[in-house]
Amino acid sequence: MKPRFNSLLSMLRAPSVWVLLFGSLLSVWLAWHQWQEIEVRSQQRFNREVASLIHSIDARFRELSTLLLASKSLFAGSQQVTPLEFTAFAQQFDLPHLQPGIQGLGYAQWLSQAQRAGLIQAMRAGGQPDFHVWPVCAGAYFSSIVSMVPLDQRNRPAIGYDMHCEPTRRAAMDAAAVSQQTVLSAVVQLVQDPGASQPGVLLYLPVFDTPAPPSGRRNDAALRGWVYMPINAGNLMQVLLASTPNRLDFTVVVTDVTVQDSPTPLYTSAGLYSQAHFSQRVRLALYGRSWEVNALSSAEFERNVSYSAALYALAAGLGLTLLMAVVMEWLRRGRRAAEKLAEAMTHDLRERNTVFETLFQSTPDATLIVDAMGRIVRHNRQASSLFGYADAALDQLTVEDLIPAMHRDAHREHRKQYAAQPQVREMGSSRDLTALRVDGSVFQVEVRLAPLSLQGQPHVLAVVRDISGRRRMEASQARMLKDKETLLQEVHHRVKNNLQVIHSLFELQVDSITDPTARACLADAQARVRAMALIHQVLYQSHDFAEVNFSDYLALLLRDLGATLGRPEIVVRCDTQAVRMNLQRAIPCGLLMSEAVSNAYKHAFPGQRSGVISLSLRQVVDGVEMTVADNGVGLPPDWRERDTLGMRLITLLAEQCGARLSIQTGMGTRIALYWKEESEKAEGNA
């Protein structure tokens, strides 16, 4: 037991345990404090939303009182206001739209029992044949509803009702008559809604003969009646809740608590959340009545109350405490581990030095390390072999000793500039360099430079490669390439000359033939040979034996065809862009263009008819388009059935070009070729 006790006591003495204990307590206290702050802020937000509802209720009743006051002014200004006049007056308030939730606006006339028959007769004569005063009550006076707006199916049953017969209404009407102010009644069942589940209330404002009696004194003789509003409490509260921002955040119970011993419920929200965490009770004084609004937070409101900040604070505090405890324990136990780590790092560093030395010595290129003064502080065996120095002798030199004397001063300036802005410089990134061997021989080299820091001092790592053999090989390949280009140029020149000879032979043969058909065939063949010769002529003149600028070729072709076939009444227009073609496409395209233009010259403009031949060569969205068009007589209707040599040649040449051929005729003829640039590049690469 004693060893275990000593071990436990030793653990309790550890600073990390006390840090863990104190930090945990502090984290819990901070999280609890944050939790309380969230509760307070949420309650304040809830109270603000409830206050918005209370303000809406109070404002709505003030608006209703103002409407009653305006209606009272109508009756005070006239001794006799008919129901039609009252209806016209009340319709301007547009109660169903501007005051939703209000049953209507009415007027109850105050008369003596002796005037009952006269009122019934007047109302029936005024358009209400079924009018009667109900119920019949004892008393010297009665108050019958004579006007109601809107007079719809819902409000019509209230006409004739003697509100002074019912005790709750009578109490509110008498209070209004004595105070001459708007008075709100206690809860009643509205005549319009005999079976409604939601109760109703009424707003009364008395109307007196002018001048009115002193306030606080009842004078039935001067009293003419009351303007009033029947209000369904449920409808009114639903409208007010619907217009309140964040109305889904709470439910309400509205109660009339004017008589504290017997509160009367007015409205209860659907889906009342009985387990609400946030609530507020507000008393509201409304025209002689006292309403209590009990607001309860909804389940949605409570779901939106986030306690994550408190939980995050608790988690962060506990995590930080645990981290501090672990770090302190790690520091307490880490001294021996640090010593072992230092020993292991020393061993690893020695191994790394061994690996570095092996790589440094086995690099196939000569490698030098030079200090800021240009002294060689280290080199590998390849450097000694390349420059012909013994290892010890090379360490005594500067880098300028390995450069021909004529370049040493310039190299010192280059070295100073590099020291000012050191950066990696790859091989071949500078002009050709030369180096000097110990025997005085000079050879071409490439040098790669990289800045290096040794013991806090700037150094440069230089990798030197002998490129004398490569330069000799490159010079030999350049001579061979030049010879090849000369040979290709000579080949194109000779092909052009040979085709020109064939062209001349055709021309001699044409002169000796009298048959017009044979002469025409030989002339066509002569033009086709001339078209091929022009391709080789353009290649020979451009010195590019892979591709030809087809725009230049078309210019020569049109000039040549114009010299042989041209007529002054035919105008040739050429709109071309610089498009390059390889020889495999240029020859069939050239023959096709020669055939199309020749046909236009020969057949499009019979007799002395004038016209225009248009050539176009241009780049389109994803390819090249070449067209020959004329405004001549067009092709014959059966040109597709005719098996002419010209059309066969055009079709075959289009297939050789790998192009899509389009021939249109009517008011002239249009021959178009289209091919994609990808196919041109593919053929060129092939």
Side-chain angles (χ1 to χ4, degrees):
M1 290 296 296
K2 189 173 182 180
R4 292 184 179 179
F5 177 77
N6 291 335
S7 176
L8 178 61
L9 185 61
S10 176
M11 183 181 66
L12 291 176
R13 289 176 179 175
S16 58
V17 175
W18 289 100
V19 168
L20 184 62
L21 179 61
F22 178 75
S24 300
L25 293 175
L26 181 61
S27 300
V28 171
W29 181 83
L30 290 174
W32 176 83
H33 182 72
Q34 184 72 18
W35 189 287
Q36 296 299 316
E37 286 290 331
I38 294 172
E39 291 267 325
V40 171
R41 288 195 299 270
S42 300
Q43 183 67 54
Q44 291 174 348
R45 181 166 66 89
F46 179 78
N47 292 347
R48 287 193 298 270
E49 294 174 4
V50 174
S52 176
L53 173 62
I54 299 302
H55 175 75
S56 298
I57 297 174
D58 186 63
R60 177 58 59 88
F61 274 94
R62 286 200 302 270
E63 293 175 6
L64 299 180
S65 177
T66 302
L67 290 177
L68 288 178
L69 187 60
S71 302
K72 174 184 176 181
S73 301
L74 172 67
F75 287 95
S78 175
Q79 290 296 324
Q80 183 65 34
V81 178
T82 66
L84 291 177
E85 291 174 340
F86 179 71
T87 300
F89 170 79
Q91 284 178 346
Q92 64 181 328
F93 300 132
D94 196 9
L95 293 178
H97 296 91
L98 300 182
Q99 299 294 337
I102 305 303
Q103 293 287 97
L105 175 64
Y107 176 66
Q109 195 166 357
W110 178 251
L111 298 171
S112 65
Q113 292 293 347
Q115 296 173 298
R116 178 189 293 265
L119 173 64
I120 294 174
Q121 182 180 2
M123 291 296 293
R124 290 180 177 179
Q128 298 191 36
D130 297 331
F131 179 84
H132 64 284
V133 179
W134 62 282
V136 178
C137 298
Y141 291 89
F142 69 96
S143 176
S144 176
I145 301 174
V146 296
S147 296
M148 176 62 66
V149 178
L151 190 59
D152 52 14
Q153 185 177 2
R154 189 176 185 184
N155 284 329
R156 190 176 297 276
I159 298 298
Y161 179 66
D162 183 3
M163 290 190 290
H164 207 257
C165 285
E166 197 272 320
T168 302
R169 290 175 173 82
R170 183 170 58 249
M173 296 169 75
D174 292 344
V178 172
S179 64
Q180 298 186 22
Q181 301 292 329
T182 301
V183 171
L184 180 65
S185 74
V187 175
V188 298
Q189 189 70 41
L190 297 179
V191 178
Q192 293 93 329
D193 300 322
S197 59
Q198 296 284 358
V201 292
L202 299 107
L203 271 178
Y204 290 102
L205 183 63
V207 179
F208 290 94
D209 287 329
T210 305
S215 177
R217 184 179 302 173
R218 178 69 177 266
N219 188 337
D220 291 336
L223 182 63
R224 295 173 55 189
W226 290 265
V227 287
Y228 82 104
M229 283 186 179
I231 303 170
N232 185 298
N235 293 342
L236 178 64
M237 290 305 303
Q238 289 173 4
V239 169
L240 293 177
L241 284 170
S243 63
T244 302
N246 303 317
R247 60 184 182 275
L248 299 179
D249 284 350
F250 57 86
T251 57
V252 296
V253 176
V254 182
T255 309
D256 187 336
V257 294
T258 307
V259 181
Q260 296 184 359
D261 295 338
S262 57
T264 306
L266 283 164
Y267 174 76
T268 301
S269 295
L272 194 66
Y273 188 43
S274 59
Q275 299 177 350
H277 184 65
F278 300 96
S279 63
Q280 186 183 20
R281 291 180 181 269
V282 180
R283 287 288 182 94
L284 184 61
L286 293 173
Y287 301 102
R289 306 301 297 179
S290 180
W291 285 11
E292 181 180 80
V293 179
N294 182 18
L296 304 174
S297 59
S298 65
E300 181 179 0
F301 177 85
E302 296 187 9
R303 282 195 300 268
N304 291 331
V305 176
S306 176
Y307 295 96
S308 57
L311 297 177
Y312 289 155
L314 178 61
L318 293 177
L320 183 60
T321 299
L322 181 61
L323 178 62
M324 292 179 62
V326 170
V327 169
M328 293 188 68
E329 185 65 18
W330 178 78
L331 291 175
R332 187 173 70 88
R333 299 181 179 183
R335 179 178 300 177
R336 185 175 179 182
E339 292 175 355
K340 291 182 179 181
L341 179 61
E343 183 179 350
M345 290 178 64
T346 302
H347 178 71
D348 183 64
L349 183 60
R350 289 172 182 169
E351 289 185 349
R352 289 174 181 267
N353 287 336
T354 302
V355 172
F356 171 77
E357 183 64 24
T358 301
L359 292 175
F360 185 77
Q361 293 299 334
S362 61
T363 302
D365 294 318
T367 306
L368 306 171
I369 297 179
V370 183
D371 65 8
M373 303 303 295
R375 292 188 295 265
I376 300 173
V377 299
R378 195 167 185 183
H379 65 278
N380 62 357
R381 288 186 294 271
Q382 285 73 14
S384 301
S385 175
L386 179 63
F387 292 101
Y389 288 92
D391 289 343
L394 194 59
D395 288 338
Q396 305 299 320
L397 302 178
T398 65
V399 70
E400 278 78 17
D401 294 329
L402 305 180
I403 298 174
M406 67 180 67
H407 301 310
R408 289 175 181 173
D409 292 338
H411 186 270
R412 291 188 182 93
E413 293 299 323
H414 292 324
R415 185 161 51 80
K416 291 179 182 178
Q417 294 174 4
Y418 183 83
Q421 293 183 340
Q423 57 184 347
V424 175
R425 193 181 72 186
E426 299 294 338
M427 287 186 174
S429 61
S430 62
R431 57 185 178 83
D432 293 343
L433 303 175
T434 56
L436 181 67
R437 292 191 178 92
V438 67
D439 59 2
S441 60
V442 177
F443 59 100
Q444 291 179 308
V445 296
E446 283 183 345
V447 180
R448 184 183 189 276
L449 301 178
L452 185 66
S453 178
L454 294 179
Q455 298 179 352
Q457 296 299 320
H459 289 69
V460 177
L461 177 68
V463 179
V464 184
R465 180 177 298 169
D466 185 359
I467 61 171
S468 301
R470 190 179 73 191
R471 287 287 187 257
R472 288 192 295 270
M473 184 180 297
E474 290 174 353
S476 175
Q477 291 177 347
R479 288 193 300 271
M480 292 175 63
L481 180 61
K482 185 175 181 181
D483 293 342
K484 182 180 178 181
E485 291 177 351
T486 303
L487 179 60
L488 285 174
Q489 186 177 14
E490 183 64 22
V491 167
H492 285 294
H493 182 61
R494 288 182 181 272
V495 171
K496 187 263 296 184
N497 288 342
N498 291 336
L499 292 174
Q500 189 65 39
V501 169
I502 296 173
H503 179 273
S504 299
L505 292 175
F506 278 146
E507 187 173 358
L508 292 174
Q509 189 67 39
V510 167
D511 293 338
S512 63
I513 296 175
T514 59
D515 184 13
T517 302
R519 288 175 63 89
C521 292
L522 284 177
D524 290 343
Q526 183 183 9
R528 292 160 188 152
V529 171
R530 178 58 180 166
M532 288 189 291
L534 286 177
I535 292 289
H536 292 279
Q537 179 179 342
V538 173
L539 286 170
Y540 172 73
Q541 292 174 349
S542 67
H543 303 287
D544 185 351
F545 309 115
E547 293 181 333
V548 61
N549 188 336
F550 205 71
S551 177
D552 296 341
Y553 168 75
L554 286 179
L556 291 175
L557 179 65
L558 291 178
R559 186 182 66 184
D560 191 69
L561 292 176
T564 57
L565 302 175
R567 290 158 49 187
E569 66 273 12
I570 299 177
V571 178
V572 179
R573 295 175 181 172
C574 186
D575 180 15
T576 60
Q577 298 178 353
V579 176
R580 303 193 67 82
M581 295 186 193
N582 57 39
L583 196 59
Q584 288 80 1
R585 173 168 283 146
I587 290 177
C589 280
L591 290 174
L592 190 150
M593 294 298 288
S594 175
E595 193 72 24
V597 175
S598 298
N599 288 341
Y601 268 120
K602 294 175 183 178
H603 307 297
F605 308 101
Q608 299 300 318
R609 180 170 177 168
S610 62
V612 178
I613 301 175
S614 300
L615 275 77
S616 172
L617 176 65
R618 57 194 179 92
Q619 300 277 352
V620 292
V621 177
D622 57 349
V624 179
E625 184 182 61
M626 183 169 64
T627 61
V628 177
D630 63 71
N631 60 352
V633 297
L635 297 175
D638 59 344
W639 67 272
R640 295 185 183 275
E641 287 74 20
R642 293 186 179 184
D643 189 16
T644 62
L645 178 61
M647 283 301 173
R648 276 188 290 160
L649 282 176
I650 288 175
T651 303
L652 292 174
L653 291 172
E655 292 178 357
Q656 290 184 18
C657 293
R660 186 174 68 238
L661 175 65
S662 172
I663 300 177
Q664 300 174 357
T665 185
M667 298 299 294
T669 303
R670 182 178 184 273
I671 300 175
L673 287 179
Y674 168 80
W675 64 87
K676 291 187 177 180
E677 285 187 325
E678 291 76 1
S679 61
E680 174 73 19
K681 295 178 181 178
E683 293 176 8
N685 293 335

